């Protein structure tokens, strides 16, 4: 048994060189700059942020994205005040060294918190209520997040809608979200203060990524590309979708990802009709065509990548026809991404391309893609990243904006679904495809699938 495990480790270690890991994705100056930009937006008041609470079960602690964005601190039950009137920040938490060491929290964060975080003042959490009362007396406005915190795979707006349906508007429940309960308490305890929602202010800061954030997202994309390639290479008729999903997660975590950005989507057969299918309940057969929509969560940042390929490793003429149309539209979109243009203008290029090539019969299927120039959603700390403002088709592309170019073409009666999705960052000179490296042309896909993948190598070795 020990020999088998040793062989397994050697095989996989040779196949998949591990991504070098950095101790921390950002330095103190990055977080200080983010807090400084928020202070500029709230000169008349102070913003109060709730850190994520201690998990109720045996789960890894995940800090809320907005709190993490301004602090980099992953300690439960913390609070942060960003004071726009005094131009200072105050962090509140309480944790002893033994607990921190047991949770893998750096001891320097406990011993020298101000030096470690770069936050001007760090106080015990027991002083938060008294300090906040003082802030409320002198600051005209108290800002806080009205929308729910995001943890791991969550999106704040999607979470809010779910909680409204299942909790707040449920006749047998009726509780407010944690954030709205905090808003209620602020208004009751400090009636003299003007309590305002700062969700849009914060999310507009998150919308444009800094160079440091883009570098982390590039690393995330490299991991995602390796995992996509490993899964594609392992795909054969007779292979279970569940085994393929395991390959993807294994490669991501081996390369340093802390989690998946979302439950990996594998669609084949009749399941192309369900846009986010992740039950993995089919054994692949010859003739199947797959969509893999999957990505890692690396250093709390996400990317989004989709590939499409035949289970047999060879495209049928019909699969080839549809795939080449989708890939051509994808290429037109990418070729036209640059600062200063709008998604509508890019969509017009796609529309003109379809007409020039005599492909008007696909215009209805590409209607949404034409309207938004291939755009699907923003990406960052969340896969469907939040934005305070978005102009839809008239959004002017700005350096640092990261989004999914997601080209989709479905023929459900033929059980063919195609998604060609890349994570795109707008740069000063044009764009950067962060997920470059996955096979896109038919020749690249068929060449990759001729090689044995992880599952085939393991089977040959008796696993």
């Amino acid at each position: 048994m020990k020999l088998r495990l040793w062989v397994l480790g050697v095989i996989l270690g040779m196949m998949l060189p591990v991504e070098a890991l950095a101790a921390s994705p950002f330095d103190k100056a990055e977080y200080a700059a983010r807090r400084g930009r928020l202070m500029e937006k709230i000169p008349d008041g102070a913003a109060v942020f709730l850190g994520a609470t201690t998990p109720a079960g045996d789960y890894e602690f995940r800090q809320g994205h907005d709190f993490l964005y301004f602090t980099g601190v992953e300690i439960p039950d913390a609070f942060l005040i960003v004071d726009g009137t005094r131009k200072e920040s105050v962090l509140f938490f309480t944790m002893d060294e033994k607990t921190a060491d047991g949770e893998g929290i750096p001891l320097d964060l406990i011993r020298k918190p101000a030096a470690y975080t770069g936050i001007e003042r760090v106080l015990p959490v027991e002083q938060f209520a008294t300090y906040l009362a003082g802030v409320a007396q002198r600051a005209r406005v108290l800002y806080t997040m009205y929308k729910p915190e995001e943890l791991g795979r969550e999106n704040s707006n999607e979470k809010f809608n779910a909680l409204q349906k299942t909790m707040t508007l449920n006749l047998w429940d009726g509780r407010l979200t944690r954030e709205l309960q905090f808003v209620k308490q602020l208004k009751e305890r400090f009636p003299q203060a003007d309590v305002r929602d700062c969700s849009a202010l914060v999310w507009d800061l998150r919308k444009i990524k800094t160079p440091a954030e883009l570098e982390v997202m590039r690393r995330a994309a490299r991991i995602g590309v390796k995992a996509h390639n490993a899964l594609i290479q392992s795909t054969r008729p007779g292979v279970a979708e569940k085994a393929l999903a395991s390959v993807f997660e294994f490669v991501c975590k081996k390369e340093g990802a802390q989690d998946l950005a979302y439950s990996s989507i594998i669609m084949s057969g009749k399941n192309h009709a369900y846009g986010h299918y992740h039950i993995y309940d089919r054994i692949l057969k010859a003739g199947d065509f797959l969509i893999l929509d999957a990505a890692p969560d690396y250093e709390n940042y996400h990317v989004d990548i989709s590939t499409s390929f035949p289970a047999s490793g060879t495209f049928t003429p019909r699969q080839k026809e549809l795939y080449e149309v989708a890939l051509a539209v994808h290429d037109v979109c990418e070729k036209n991404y640059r600062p200063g243009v709008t998604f509508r203008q890019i969509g017009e290029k796609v529309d003109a391309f379809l007409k020039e090539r005599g492909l008007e019969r696909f215009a209805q299927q590409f209607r949404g893609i034409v309207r938004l120039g291939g755009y699907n959603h923003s990406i960052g700390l969340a896969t469907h990243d939040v934005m305070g403002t978005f102009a839809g088709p008239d959004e002017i592309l700005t350096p640092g904006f990261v989004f999914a170019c997601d080209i989709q073409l479905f023929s459900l009666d033929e059980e063919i679904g195609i998604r060609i999705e890349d994570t795109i960052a707008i740069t000063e000179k044009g764009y950067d495809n962060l997920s470059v490296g996955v096979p896109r042309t038919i020749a690249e896909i068929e060449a990759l699938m001729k090689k044995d993948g992880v599952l085939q190598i393991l089977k040959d070795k008796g696993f």
Side-chain angles (χ1 to χ4, degrees), residues 63-69 150-152 154 206 300 381-382:
Q63 185 60 275
H65 291 159
D66 296 311
F67 194 95
L68 190 71
Y69 180 78
E150 297 171 340
L151 302 175
E154 296 174 345
R206 281 177 50 181
N300 294 291
L381 285 164

Side-chain angles (χ1 to χ4, degrees), residues 203-218:
W203 295 348
D204 269 343
L205 293 176
R206 281 177 50 181
K207 177 178 174 179
I208 303 301
K209 277 61 180 180
T210 64
E213 288 179 286
L214 289 175
E215 181 54 36
V216 170
M217 294 184 73
R218 284 190 186 91

